[in-house]
Amino acid sequence: MDKMPRRTKDKSNNENRGTFGKWLFVITVALFALFIVRFAYIAINKDVQHVNLQSKAEQIYTQRQVIQARRGTIYDAQNNPLASDTSKYTLYAIVDHNQRSNSGKPLYVTNKEKTAKVLSRYINLSPAKIKKILTTNRQTYQVEFGTAGSGLSVATMQKIKSQHLPGINFIATPARQYPEGEFASQLIGIANPKTDPKAPGGTTLVGQLGLESYFNKQLTGVNGIRQDKQDVYGYQLANSKTTTKKAVNGDDIQTTLDPQTQHLLENKVSKVYEHSRANSMTAVVMEAKTGKIIAATQRSTLRSKKNPVWRNMLVQDAYEPGSTMKVLALSAAIDSGHFDPNGTFNSGTWSMGGGKITDWSAGGWGVITYKDAFDLSSNVGFAHLEQNMGADTWYKYIKRFGLLKRVNVPGMGNGVTGFTQFKGILEQANTAFGQGITVNVMQMMQAFTAVANHGKMMHPYFVSKITNSDGKVVKQYKPQVVGHPIKAKTAHKVLGLMQGVVYDQKGLGKSYQIKGHRIAAKTGTAQIGGANGYSNGDTNYLYSVVGMAPAKNPQYIIYITMRQPQNVNPQPSDQIAEVFNPTMKMLLNRQSATKKATHSMVKVPALTGQTSQAAGNALGSRHLQAVVVGSGKKVKQQSIPAGQQVLANQRVILYTGGRVQMPDLTGWSSADVNELAQFLHLQLSEQGDGYVDSQSIKANTTITKNQTLVVKYKSKD
């Protein structure tokens, strides 16, 4: 056999392979070295392309939870809450049939017919409409119910939850509750939820008006944070620490508003406002010696069903005040030595400065004295007084009384300054009787304190203090003297002449007499100006009154305005008296009783949770009268909070739940009746004066919420 030829070796090829292998080895070693160096760098510095890996990992595994701070509470003078935190709820239904619990229990709506029928009891939608919403595409996860299913109260949410409907759930959003409704609503204001991605649920409360807006920062507080490390399944990592930054709750605000006075004022103003069909009304009650506002309201309010008003009329509305300005002009004339009560002038009309000044009775009263000019509210007489003083002197007093500049009441923002051209002798004279000059209510209240307080002018205020979440007072408001526009003897003389308006035969303020008390007052009727001059007719005036009592040394000032009443029967002055008289009478009677029985002040005990009999005995032992309403066995609510000091023999209403029957109101005062109506949510209509003589809902009759109670009063005399 022939031998196979032997293959010849290629020496150069072997050398190439060796070289390639060496280089591959070197490159591999170099790459590993590079990786080791890079990994070492990353391990040591924990940084990749300027990204800190440690902080990135922290972000991935660290869970941050915002802790919502509680918004501060606003209280009245007796620590009853006027604005406090709550939640509103949005109803939604899960309709995705894939949603089940770990045990297989359905988490979706299983019975649409039943669910629709039950929900229709609590939201304003028919069962058919609800069922239609629930009957949707199977691919839809959940459905909502529009405005009907949003803004639900805690009580409504709990009632729906108690029905145990599968698939029915709620989303909570922060909200504000105002338990007293229209109680000084323009002063308290309102806070609404606003979108805030940093807040729990994506919303936070922001003040829109009144105290809620003015002190929004203080009320809001500071949110806290809870932070810990969790794995991808949501479990806290071992050896990880939980870091918590506590929330700082908002500050609380206490007002000077007296609940008894405020409730009575609200009730009386509402009644007159509805009867008169006025364009607007304002009413303020102030302590004369301190400037403390103990009650204030307006119509319309931000909560009025018809034409709600989103402004504070007490500082934001400028108007020509009319004849109540004569109190200040008279003060200026006396103080500057230009008033002779026995001097005379010819009333009716007076031509001056290219125009004519006319009394409200165009024919006038012939030649009368300057004292009569105040009693009869003669414009001509006060034009003469302004001329006697001189325009410069009168303008100096206008400024000294604080007119034409902001009063800056804490809690009331955006106040107007008022305005007057004060050019030409006609317009200068007009300002002396309240035309040709604009003011706001707080400016007038501040000026009136000088007359009521021996010449010392007090700054109005209605916030007493602000306290933080620890109960520490961070800001306190006290009486503040802001000027001495007139002398004490001037103020005394003006008060004497104001009494003449009420009690003299010629006086126009007889409607404001209160039996057993001496009143100093001045009425006002101002024409309302427009683009085409002043309007005519009884329905185109701003009617007002300022009253001070006791007349010799006033403790209270009440100022009421009524703009453009459409119903002038009875005459507007008498209608305003229906607000002024019962309010002032209650204050004076309460003051008299307090003076006589300071030793009879007792502290109301805590009665909630006690049986009605035990609670009644506890009140009786303290010489207080228990009024039990409700068929329940235990007290759920008391009308006067525990710890409050009250006069002996005062009524305390105890609500026990269940069926509520009307008590016998015979002999009750208007203040007590108003307290009961407010407590039981009754619509109250009052007639007459004095003490209860008859009631439309008979004693022991079952009553319902919002039922109308008509009460007739009769004087004991």
Side-chain angles (χ1 to χ4, degrees), residues 547-676:
M548 306 173 186
K552 288 188 177 180
N553 186 23
Q555 301 301 307
Y556 303 104
I557 304 170
I558 298 180
Y559 179 46
I560 302 167
T561 72
M562 175 197 287
R563 185 183 181 90
Q564 292 176 301
Q566 300 305 298
N567 183 358
V568 291
N569 184 24
Q571 60 181 338
S573 183
D574 291 338
Q575 293 189 53
I576 293 175
E578 292 177 16
V579 177
F580 179 93
N581 291 17
T583 305
M584 183 64 87
K585 183 177 180 179
M586 184 273 289
L587 289 167
L588 296 174
N589 285 344
R590 189 170 69 177
Q591 183 187 50
S592 298
T594 302
K595 285 182 178 179
K596 292 177 182 178
T598 50
H599 62 282
S600 299
M601 296 293 288
V602 293
K603 184 183 289 186
V604 177
L607 305 169
T608 304
Q610 297 186 25
T611 64
S612 57
Q613 184 175 353
N617 292 338
L619 291 174
S621 67
R622 289 168 171 79
H623 305 288
L624 297 171
Q625 299 182 51
V627 180
V628 180
V629 292
S631 58
K633 293 183 179 179
K634 292 187 176 181
V635 176
K636 293 186 175 181
Q637 192 178 355
Q638 58 190 84
S639 62
I640 301 176
Q644 185 173 315
Q645 294 279 353
V646 297
L647 289 170
N649 296 317
Q650 188 161 336
R651 291 182 174 87
V652 181
I653 304 166
L654 306 174
Y655 174 67
T656 61
R659 186 165 55 91
V660 178
Q661 292 182 322
M662 174 61 64
D664 185 355
L665 305 180
T666 303
W668 283 35
S669 68
S670 175
D672 284 342
V673 173
N674 274 270
E675 186 73 32
L676 178 73

Side-chain angles (χ1 to χ4, degrees), residues 487-546:
K487 295 181 282 290
K489 64 180 182 180
T490 299
H492 179 74
K493 290 178 180 178
V494 174
L495 286 170
L497 290 163
M498 288 176 70
Q499 291 178 63
V501 173
V502 181
Y503 299 102
D504 286 356
Q505 184 177 357
K506 295 178 181 179
L508 301 178
K510 293 183 177 64
S511 301
Y512 301 97
Q513 295 180 10
I514 299 175
K515 192 169 185 179
H517 302 284
R518 190 79 174 173
I519 308 297
K522 181 69 187 80
T523 58
T525 306
Q527 283 184 288
I528 295 175
N532 300 314
Y534 289 103
S535 304
N536 295 314
D538 290 343
T539 61
N540 285 309
Y541 284 92
L542 182 132
Y543 298 92
S544 61
V545 70
V546 55

Side-chain angles (χ1 to χ4, degrees), residues 142-185:
Q142 70 182 51
V143 294
E144 296 183 8
F145 302 89
T147 55
S150 62
L152 303 180
S153 66
V154 175
T156 302
M157 179 273 292
Q158 290 175 339
K159 288 177 183 178
I160 296 174
K161 269 194 170 182
S162 69
Q163 300 297 322
H164 304 293
L165 300 171
I168 296 301
N169 298 287
F170 300 88
I171 300 171
T173 55
R176 204 74 162 147
Q177 64 179 355
Y178 302 92
E180 297 294 349
E182 271 197 325
F183 183 108
S185 62

